[in-house]
């Protein structure tokens, strides 16, 4: 199951999903407020994680490999921590342990959007001033985890990515120098790295 970042929809995973679907059942998901999912006007990482848990329960799969980029990675961490029975392996693309940072609400892009702008308005403050309990959440993730860092051109501090690997109970780091959008910039290398981990 593939979870995209803020403002992205399931279509963001098209290239990766097509590759993975050659030999495994693959679901790319619109988080709440994005694409074809409901736009209820209330948004948080916890609510998005609850939505994913409900979807996984409805699919009645014994467990899944969960892949999350950016916001989707944070959502995936909460899912894996709260329902370890649902997650076989976890892949986190270019996220780090959340740390407080200067608030910086971006301007809304002009025109129509593929997501509800209220997602940014409500979730961005949660990321800028994160819950201090995040390390405890991460320590509850028991699934073997692959963390893919975007390297020196990513806007995500890579020391926070390395801290994430050190905090998770069972994690390893692979760096692909591609910036924050590793799966879009280097899809071939991304898929090969993910396949190697999931098939191990």
């Amino acid at each position: 199951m593939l979870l995209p970042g803020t403002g992205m929809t399931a279509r963001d995973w098209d290239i990766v999903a097509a590759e993975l679907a050659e030999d495994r059942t693959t679901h790319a998901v619109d988080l709440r407020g994005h694409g074809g999912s409901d736009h209820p006007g209330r948004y948080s990482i916890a609510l998005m994680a609850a939505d994913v848990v409900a979807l996984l329960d409805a699919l009645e799969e014994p467990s899944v490999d969960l892949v999350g980029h950016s916001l989707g990675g944070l959502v995936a961490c909460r899912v894996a921590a709260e329902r370890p029975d649902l997650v076989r392996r976890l892949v986190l693309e270019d996220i780090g342990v959340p740390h407080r940072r200067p608030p910086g609400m971006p301007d809304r892009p002009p025109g129509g959007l593929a997501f509800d702008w209220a997602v940014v308005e409500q979730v961005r403050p949660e990321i800028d001033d994160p819950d201090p309990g995040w390390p405890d959440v991460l320590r509850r993730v028991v699934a073997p985890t692959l963390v893919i860092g975007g390297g020196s051109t990513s806007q995500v501090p890579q020391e926070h990515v390395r801290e994430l690997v050190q905090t998770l109970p069972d994690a390893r780091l692979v760096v692909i120098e591609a910036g924050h959008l590793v799966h879009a910039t280097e899809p071939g290398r991304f898929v090969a790295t993910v396949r190697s981990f999931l098939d191990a």
Side-chain angles (χ1 to χ4, degrees), residues 90-101:
L90 182 64
V91 178
L92 304 174
E93 180 189 350
D94 207 44
I95 69 166
V97 174
H99 286 270
R100 180 177 289 185
R101 63 187 187 186

Side-chain angles (χ1 to χ4, degrees), residues 30-192:
D30 288 332
L31 297 174
R32 76 160 52 199
H34 293 74
S37 289
D38 288 343
H39 293 200
R42 293 181 57 244
Y43 305 105
S44 69
I45 294 169
L47 287 170
M48 292 176 179
D51 293 340
V52 173
V53 167
L55 176 58
L56 290 172
D57 281 336
L59 289 174
E60 297 183 343
E61 298 280 358
S63 63
V64 301
D65 298 321
L66 196 55
V67 181
H69 171 242
S70 199
L71 172 62
L74 294 175
V75 172
C77 286
R78 283 208 171 271
V79 173
E82 294 163 13
R83 287 292 303 276
D85 57 303
L86 295 177
V87 181
R88 188 186 78 96
R89 289 191 170 225
L90 182 64
V91 178
L92 304 174
E93 180 189 350
D94 207 44
I95 69 166
V97 174
H99 286 270
R100 180 177 289 185
R101 63 187 187 186
M105 186 64 63
D107 294 330
R108 184 192 186 282
L113 301 174
F115 68 104
D116 186 350
W117 185 250
V119 172
V120 176
E121 295 173 335
Q122 295 176 33
V123 176
R124 181 63 180 263
E126 186 180 355
I127 294 173
D128 288 342
D129 187 14
D131 186 323
W134 264 108
D136 291 331
V137 171
L138 298 171
R139 283 190 281 267
R140 298 204 313 271
V141 174
V142 297
T145 304
L146 170 67
V147 178
I148 299 177
S152 58
T153 59
S154 171
Q155 70 264 32
V156 175
Q158 296 299 289
E159 64 269 21
H160 295 169
V161 176
R162 291 188 291 272
E163 182 186 0
L164 176 69
V165 174
Q166 293 164 358
T167 305
L168 290 162
D170 182 3
R172 66 186 183 94
L173 173 65
V174 173
V175 176
I176 299 176
E177 287 285 347
H180 187 51
L181 298 170
V182 181
H183 71 278
T185 306
E186 292 279 1
R189 291 177 64 191
F190 181 85
V191 170

